[in-house]
């Protein structure tokens, strides 16, 4: 009987390994195709699955020179960094009272935040665009930052609230007994324990803003303000397209996000799991 269980366990482990390998290949395939395509010449019509025998950096040179990818990355960094900072600050400050005071009003406010997460952004694009035109927010950094913060704030408040709820209230009481004021409990006691969930919100929000296209397409209409997604789309026109240059631009745009994720991977996993369970 024990031998049979051991055999079944071994088979089950093999099946899980095969499934994991299959899923990994499925998700890695697009990245391989983009990387392979970025090293091909524009006239190369071989299969995307075949890595070029004579790799060339012409597509990267074209993307940086003619495609203004460097400028696009700088613009995207400005929008992403300021938006993420505001989302983290306002989200954490708003989540703390809702997590510590479970009143009906706070529960209603949290429900409203969750409800906003379910609203498709494009469904309210027209009134948002009209309002930005009236206040002069078109073709400005602060205009696109205002929109991105508005639509990414509910998710951060939700995650922060769930995480803070899992922090024992006894820590607050102990801090008060030790002489800490009510206003200093959050920055001195709660905030240092929020590193995992802050990392999670930082990555999720940062990737969402970095990859945004719809809002940036309508708000940032000047060529000098174009972001990564707008720059990549410029390689595709009605009569012609430059696939290798677009692939090279995509590779360059992925690198910053991938580096940040690799640095914060441990905290991201822990923060996401804690926010979902607590």
């Amino acid at each position: 009987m024990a031998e049979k269980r051991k055999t079944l366990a071994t088979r089950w482990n093999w099946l899980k390994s095969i499934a994991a390998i299959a899923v990994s290949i499925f998700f890695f395939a697009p990245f391989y195709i983009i990387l392979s395509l970025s090293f091909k010449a524009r006239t190369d019509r071989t299969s995307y699955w075949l890595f070029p025998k004579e790799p060339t950096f012409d597509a990267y040179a074209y993307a940086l020179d003619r495609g203004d990818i460097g400028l696009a990355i700088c613009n995207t960094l400005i929008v992403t960094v300021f938006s993420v900072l505001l989302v983290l600050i306002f989200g954490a400050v708003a989540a703390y009272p809702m997590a510590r005071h479970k009143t009906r009003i706070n529960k209603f406010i949290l429900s409203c935040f969750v409800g906003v997460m379910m609203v498709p952004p494009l469904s309210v694009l027209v009134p948002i665009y009209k309002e930005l035109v009236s206040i002069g927010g078109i073709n400005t950094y602060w205009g696109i930052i205002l929109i991105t913060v508005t639509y990414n704030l509910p998710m951060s408040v939700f995650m922060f609230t769930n995480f803070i709820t899992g922090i024992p209230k006894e820590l607050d009481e102990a801090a008060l007994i030790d002489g800490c004021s009510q206003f200093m409990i959050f920055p001195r006691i709660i905030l240092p324990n929020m590193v995992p969930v802050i990392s999670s919100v930082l990555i999720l929000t940062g990737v969402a803003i970095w990859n945004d296209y719809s809002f940036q397409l309508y708000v940032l209409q000047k060529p000098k303000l174009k972001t990564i997604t707008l720059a990549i789309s410029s390689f595709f026109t009605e009569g012609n397209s430059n696939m290798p240059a677009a692939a090279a631009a995509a590779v360059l745009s992925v690198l910053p996000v991938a580096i940040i994720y690799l640095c914060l991977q441990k905290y991201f996993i822990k923060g996401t799991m804690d926010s979902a369970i607590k």
Side-chain angles (χ1 to χ4, degrees), residues 80-150:
T80 303
V81 169
F82 281 97
S83 299
V84 169
L85 285 176
L86 292 175
V87 167
L88 291 176
I89 294 172
F90 290 127
V93 172
Y96 177 65
M98 286 193 289
R100 284 294 185 254
H101 305 286
K102 297 291 186 178
T103 62
R104 291 184 178 179
I105 296 178
N106 285 343
K107 291 181 179 179
F108 175 75
I109 294 175
L110 185 60
S111 299
C112 291
F113 274 109
V114 176
V116 172
M117 295 170 59
M118 307 301 166
V119 178
L122 291 179
S123 65
V124 292
L125 178 61
V126 173
I128 288 179
Y129 183 84
K130 182 179 179 181
E131 189 64 28
L132 282 178
V133 170
S134 64
I135 62 178
I138 301 297
N139 291 320
T140 61
Y141 286 125
W142 67 263
I144 188 64
I145 290 173
L146 179 64
I147 294 179
T148 53
V149 170
T150 301

Side-chain angles (χ1 to χ4, degrees), residues 31 203 206-207 210-211 250-265:
F31 295 99
I203 292 176
V207 171
W210 188 272
N211 293 330
V251 171
L252 293 174
S253 67
V254 166
L255 288 179
V257 179
I259 293 173
I260 294 175
Y261 175 76
L262 291 175
C263 294
L264 302 176
Q265 182 179 12

Side-chain angles (χ1 to χ4, degrees), residues 31-245:
F31 295 99
Y32 168 77
I33 293 175
I34 291 176
L35 189 64
S36 172
L37 188 58
S38 68
F39 287 107
K40 289 187 176 183
R42 189 173 182 178
T43 56
D44 192 343
R45 292 293 183 264
T46 58
S47 173
Y48 296 155
W49 293 97
L50 298 177
F51 200 84
K53 295 180 179 180
E54 297 181 358
T56 175
F57 288 92
D58 293 344
Y60 289 91
Y62 185 92
L64 292 171
D65 183 25
R66 301 287 296 277
D68 293 329
I69 292 300
L71 175 63
I73 290 177
C74 291
N75 290 333
T76 309
L77 278 174
I78 293 173
V79 174
T80 303
V81 169
F82 281 97
S83 299
V84 169
L85 285 176
L86 292 175
V87 167
L88 291 176
I89 294 172
F90 290 127
V93 172
Y96 177 65
M98 286 193 289
R100 284 294 185 254
H101 305 286
K102 297 291 186 178
T103 62
R104 291 184 178 179
I105 296 178
N106 285 343
K107 291 181 179 179
F108 175 75
I109 294 175
L110 185 60
S111 299
C112 291
F113 274 109
V114 176
V116 172
M117 295 170 59
M118 307 301 166
V119 178
L122 291 179
S123 65
V124 292
L125 178 61
V126 173
I128 288 179
Y129 183 84
K130 182 179 179 181
E131 189 64 28
L132 282 178
V133 170
S134 64
I135 62 178
I138 301 297
N139 291 320
T140 61
Y141 286 125
W142 67 263
I144 188 64
I145 290 173
L146 179 64
I147 294 179
T148 53
V149 170
T150 301
Y151 270 93
N152 287 278
L153 191 60
M155 185 268 295
S156 69
V157 173
F158 176 74
M159 292 186 66
F160 283 144
T161 302
N162 287 346
F163 190 89
I164 296 174
T165 301
I167 300 177
K169 291 185 179 180
E170 288 75 14
L171 290 178
D172 299 21
E173 298 171 357
L176 290 173
I177 294 174
D178 291 339
C180 186
S181 65
Q182 189 70 44
F183 293 100
M184 296 304 296
I185 291 178
F186 177 74
R188 291 187 177 182
I189 307 300
I190 304 300
L191 194 59
N193 290 287
M194 294 176 60
V195 173
V197 70
I198 288 176
S199 301
S200 299
V201 174
L202 187 152
I203 292 176
L204 292 174
T205 305
V207 171
I209 298 173
W210 188 272
N211 293 330
D212 179 55
Y213 178 77
S214 56
F215 284 137
Q216 296 173 4
L217 175 64
Y218 292 98
V219 178
L220 305 178
Q221 300 174 1
K222 291 184 178 179
K224 66 178 182 179
L225 294 176
K226 65 180 178 181
T227 55
I228 279 292
T229 52
L230 301 182
I232 294 176
S233 67
S234 66
F235 293 110
F236 301 95
T237 60
E238 184 176 353
N240 194 10
S241 62
N242 192 336
M243 293 292 290

